[in-house]
Amino acid sequence: MNRKRVAILISGRGSNMQALIEAAKAPDYPAEIVGVLSNRAAAPGLALAARQAIATASLAQSQFPSREDFEDVLTRVLESWEVDIVCLAGFMRILSARFTLRWAGRMINIHPSLLPRYKGLDTHARALADGATVHGCTVHFVTPGLDEGAPILSAQVPVLHGDSVQTLADRTLAAEHRIYPEALRLLAEGKISLP
Ligand code: GAR
């Protein structure tokens, strides 16, 4: 099997990253995780990946004169890993249109809401404030508009009486860990493409 080479971009804990790493251990999984890059050197997920002998890199945008310079180096790192697909997993940096178009159809993101509801930040708090009874998460293609690319898979989670931001986030995260590996499988097998 010709497995697709995948890089994961993170900024923090890396639990979705770990879900992808675990999925890729299955012999029939169509992708392998070849590198993890963080824009924060202290991201716990970076150390977690390094402990599993996965190539890692950290690149702080503040070290570069512009977003374009930062993204040019990011591209060079991805090219050095011969990456086919980029997975954003809690990567909390907005990427330029130029970068997203370069990776169009080959870059996906996990977002903690049922898109198109609650693009951006604080999704769980906003769902609770609205009195939503259903919440969830979405894996989608990354396009220039923030959280606007075509959805690939989503999962609903119920909002329960007495939920806090934390309990709702925890329930949603469990669903994220289920659908992200499934969505990457679909992309790596060529079963979906950016419309
Ligand atoms: C996840 O809940 C992910 O959906 C969210 O950040 C968390 C990262 O957790 N992403 C976004 O909010 C992107 N806008 P993780 O580092 O444990 O995967």
Side-chain angles (χ1 to χ4, degrees):
M1 185 183 20
N2 189 10
R3 308 214 299 164
K4 297 287 188 211
R5 296 174 62 82
V6 173
I8 307 174
L9 271 50
I10 63 167
S11 297
R13 175 178 56 184
S15 72
N16 278 291
M17 169 203 83
Q18 190 59 34
L20 296 175
I21 291 171
E22 295 298 334
K25 288 179 182 168
D28 69 339
Y29 198 75
E32 61 179 313
I33 311 304
V34 298
V36 172
L37 184 143
S38 173
N39 64 319
R40 287 183 49 236
L46 210 52
L48 181 59
R51 284 202 296 278
Q52 297 168 92
I54 294 172
T56 58
S58 83
L59 276 186
Q61 190 169 316
S62 57
Q63 289 166 352
F64 297 89
S66 69
R67 185 197 304 269
E68 282 66 33
D69 291 300
F70 165 74
E71 290 177 349
D72 285 346
V73 176
L74 176 53
T75 297
R76 284 210 285 281
V77 174
L78 297 174
E79 284 174 354
S80 76
W81 289 339
E82 299 181 0
V83 164
D84 300 307
I85 295 172
V86 176
C87 289
L88 307 184
F91 185 68
M92 304 309 268
R93 271 274 157 204
I94 293 176
L95 295 163
S96 71
R98 188 179 68 133
F99 186 85
T100 57
L101 291 173
R102 173 194 284 270
W103 289 94
R106 300 184 295 147
M107 181 159 63
I108 61 178
N109 180 46
I110 180 98
H111 184 74
S113 79
L114 291 173
L115 290 172
R117 266 178 266 171
Y118 309 123
K119 297 171 185 169
L121 299 175
D122 300 324
T123 57
H124 310 303
R126 287 156 64 203
L128 287 174
D130 282 354
T133 54
V134 177
H135 188 51
C137 51
T138 308
V139 180
H140 64 96
F141 282 106
V142 178
T143 55
L146 181 67
D147 300 327
E148 283 183 354
I152 299 168
L153 283 180
S154 65
Q156 294 190 350
V157 300
V159 180
L160 301 181
H161 185 69
D163 258 344
S164 63
V165 168
Q166 191 60 53
T167 57
L168 184 56
D170 289 348
R171 192 175 310 117
T172 306
L173 192 65
E176 294 181 36
H177 296 166
R178 271 202 318 276
I179 65 168
Y180 210 176
E182 284 179 38
L184 175 58
R185 173 186 280 280
L186 292 174
L187 180 62
E189 287 177 341
K191 292 193 172 147
I192 43 158
S193 57
L194 186 60

